[in-house]
Amino acid sequence: MDIQVTNIPACDDSGPDVAGPEVDEGMQHCLQLLVDAGLRPTRQRLALGQLLFLRGHRHVTAESLYEEAMAANAYLSLATVYNTLNQFTEAGLLRRIAADGIKSFFDTDTSVHPHFYLEGEDVLVDVADGLAFTRVPEALPGHEIARLDVIVHLRRKSVA
């Protein structure tokens, strides 16, 4: 999948929003997502939005998305990918999950749902339906629960 992106420096967010008269259905969907989230649809955001939001539900890291962008001929810097993922998260389009305290995953499904983290494999997977909470703790006085993250860490069994 080639993504048409002009080579714009990572810090330049001043260029035209979309180039060319051809805007396909996928591009239109990404464009609408960005506009609805209050983000300007720059070329970089549209390129990364197509990779993120047109391939079904997924978990990505900045590094894995950068590699996908390079493979799709969307020449962006890693810094641009990080900045865009953070902007998408702040706008509510993604959910950040810090599975191991070091690396962050970005989830295109922003609903509350638990995850398995496969230690040693650096993989985050949704837990299948069936996990239920019978009781959620009360928030501290003067606070409210902003979100609930449940990450079950798994490792391969040792073969005896």
Side-chain angles (χ1 to χ4, degrees):
M1 160 193 219
D2 277 359
I3 297 175
Q4 301 303 316
V5 176
T6 58
N7 194 5
I8 300 172
C11 61
D12 183 5
D13 196 21
S14 62
D17 292 345
V18 181
E22 296 180 25
V23 177
D24 66 13
E25 189 175 323
M27 176 76 81
Q28 186 61 41
H29 175 70
C30 287
L31 185 66
Q32 194 63 52
L33 273 175
L34 295 176
V35 169
D36 290 348
L39 294 171
R40 206 176 81 156
T42 63
R43 288 185 181 101
Q44 296 94 330
R45 289 177 184 152
L46 284 167
L48 294 174
Q50 286 180 299
L51 292 173
L52 285 166
F53 305 119
L54 298 182
R55 296 183 175 184
H57 170 67
R58 46 200 313 238
H59 304 99
V60 299
T61 63
E63 293 78 10
S64 69
L65 185 60
Y66 172 76
E67 302 236 346
E68 285 182 43
M70 295 305 288
N73 296 322
Y75 300 105
L76 306 169
S77 71
L78 183 57
T80 297
V81 173
Y82 270 105
N83 290 337
T84 303
L85 286 169
N86 288 326
Q87 292 163 355
F88 285 1
T89 301
E90 289 173 22
L93 296 174
L94 296 174
R95 186 170 181 199
R96 180 192 326 264
I97 299 165
D100 65 357
I102 297 171
K103 182 181 287 186
S104 289
F105 289 86
F106 295 87
D107 193 346
T108 58
D109 179 355
T110 58
S111 69
V112 174
H113 61 281
H115 294 92
F116 286 126
Y117 175 66
L118 308 177
E119 292 181 354
E121 299 175 46
D122 257 356
V123 174
L124 192 69
V125 180
D126 289 342
V127 172
D129 291 340
L131 180 67
F133 295 97
T134 57
R135 186 173 168 266
V136 177
E138 291 291 324
L140 297 174
H143 294 81
E144 65 182 3
I145 296 174
R147 70 181 208 192
L148 177 66
D149 289 327
V150 176
I151 303 171
V152 180
H153 292 250
L154 302 176
R155 66 174 169 247
R156 299 241 178 231
K157 290 182 179 181
S158 300
V159 178

